[in-house]
Amino acid sequence: WTGRIELQGAALVGIDRLMDDAYFDDLGRTVRAHGGILGAVTYPVPGLEAGIDRLFRHAVEHGLDLDFHADETGDPAVRSLALIAEAAIRHRFRGRVLVGHCCSLARQPADVVDRTLDLVAEAGLAVVSLPMCNMYLQDRRAGVTPRWRGVTLLHEMKARGIPVMVSSDNTRDPFYAYGDLDALEVYTQATRILHLDHPVGDWPRAVTATPAEVLGRPELGRLAPGGGADLVLLRAR
């Protein structure tokens, strides 16, 4: 696959591990040595805010971008998305910050949602929803039909100018055995799950130009005169 696919390492470690000085220092060295990005899985543990702060300080010091696996739960009390946005504002962070999942936002009161989305927009965070995996895993209880779709509030985010994307998560693994890393399938299913139609508008950007921009590769994911002609042709009625 050399020359055909690019991989970027993202250090999505549990936020509690970042309170271990030796582990954290070793992690930072490894990320820098391999050209990766720093990140964490956030969940409600003692010291959550301190761990997020530490991550931002380290990213500022070493010029690293950040990636968060956040709030993949239906528990409305889990609100680390707002904490991440507040930390980005507090540290005047100028790197790229991607936050994935953010499922619990859809279960929170309207006033909390509004405040959180205002913070996310001010902080310049980008958000990716994993619609197939989120819908498959959230509200999963034995013998009970799921009551909600598990996805985050992409329409409300997009209306505020927040960069939003849809993608695939967990490829044929114990969490989601059906992923194929197929961008067309992701977009097709996202259209159904998240109602990205009537009108379609510019929602195709969620799997093309927007992720390319967030990855720092704005020349990808678009058709333009003089642009790259590295195309894949497929049936996509």
Side-chain angles (χ1 to χ4, degrees):
W1 290 92
T2 299
R4 298 177 64 188
I5 188 170
E6 294 182 44
L7 301 177
Q8 181 186 55
L12 292 179
V13 298
I15 192 72
D16 50 324
R17 299 295 302 275
L18 302 184
M19 308 313 289
D20 180 333
D21 289 338
Y23 182 87
F24 186 72
D25 292 341
D26 183 58
L27 176 69
R29 285 193 296 270
T30 302
V31 169
R32 290 194 303 275
H34 294 279
I37 60 177
L38 206 55
V41 179
T42 60
Y43 32 75
V45 293
L48 172 60
E49 292 185 59
I52 293 173
D53 257 338
R54 188 175 197 190
L55 203 60
F56 271 94
R57 285 197 302 271
H58 196 82
V60 169
E61 180 181 353
H62 297 286
L64 296 170
D65 292 331
L66 288 167
D67 187 358
F68 289 92
H69 172 119
D71 302 346
E72 191 182 7
T73 174
D75 182 352
V78 178
R79 301 177 180 178
S80 60
L81 176 61
L83 298 179
I84 293 166
E86 288 171 341
I89 295 167
R90 188 163 55 248
H91 290 275
R92 297 182 174 86
F93 191 69
R94 294 293 175 260
R96 290 188 293 267
V97 182
L98 177 65
V99 186
H101 300 288
C102 308
C103 304
S104 64
L105 186 69
R107 310 280 280 178
Q108 293 165 5
D111 60 329
V112 174
V113 168
D114 284 340
R115 178 179 178 276
T116 298
L117 293 186
D118 287 345
L119 286 169
V120 170
E122 181 183 350
L125 308 187
V127 176
V128 59
S129 177
L130 302 304
M132 294 184 293
C133 187
N134 288 155
M135 188 171 72
Y136 178 76
L137 288 175
Q138 294 303 301
D139 207 16
R140 176 172 283 270
R141 293 166 290 162
V144 177
T145 303
R147 302 296 204 272
W148 72 301
R149 299 189 180 203
V151 291
T152 196
L153 305 182
L154 252 60
H155 290 271
E156 293 82 350
M157 292 177 178
K158 188 170 183 289
R160 280 175 167 80
I162 298 167
V164 294
M165 297 150 282
V166 292
S167 189
S168 179
D169 191 28
N170 304 101
T171 304
R172 302 192 188 192
D173 69 3
F175 294 101
Y176 183 64
Y178 314 105
D180 288 318
L181 297 179
D182 182 338
L184 178 60
E185 181 191 24
V186 169
Y187 181 71
T188 302
Q189 296 303 323
T191 297
R192 297 165 177 156
I193 297 166
L194 287 153
H195 296 170
L196 308 184
D197 55 358
H198 306 302
V200 170
D202 64 352
W203 277 112
R205 288 180 57 90
V207 289
T208 54
T210 300
E213 291 164 0
V214 171
L215 284 167
R217 299 291 302 275
E219 75 280 6
L220 301 178
R222 66 186 70 239
L223 296 175
D230 183 10
L231 307 177
V232 178
L233 304 181
L234 66 157
R235 296 179 62 84
R237 181 176 181 273

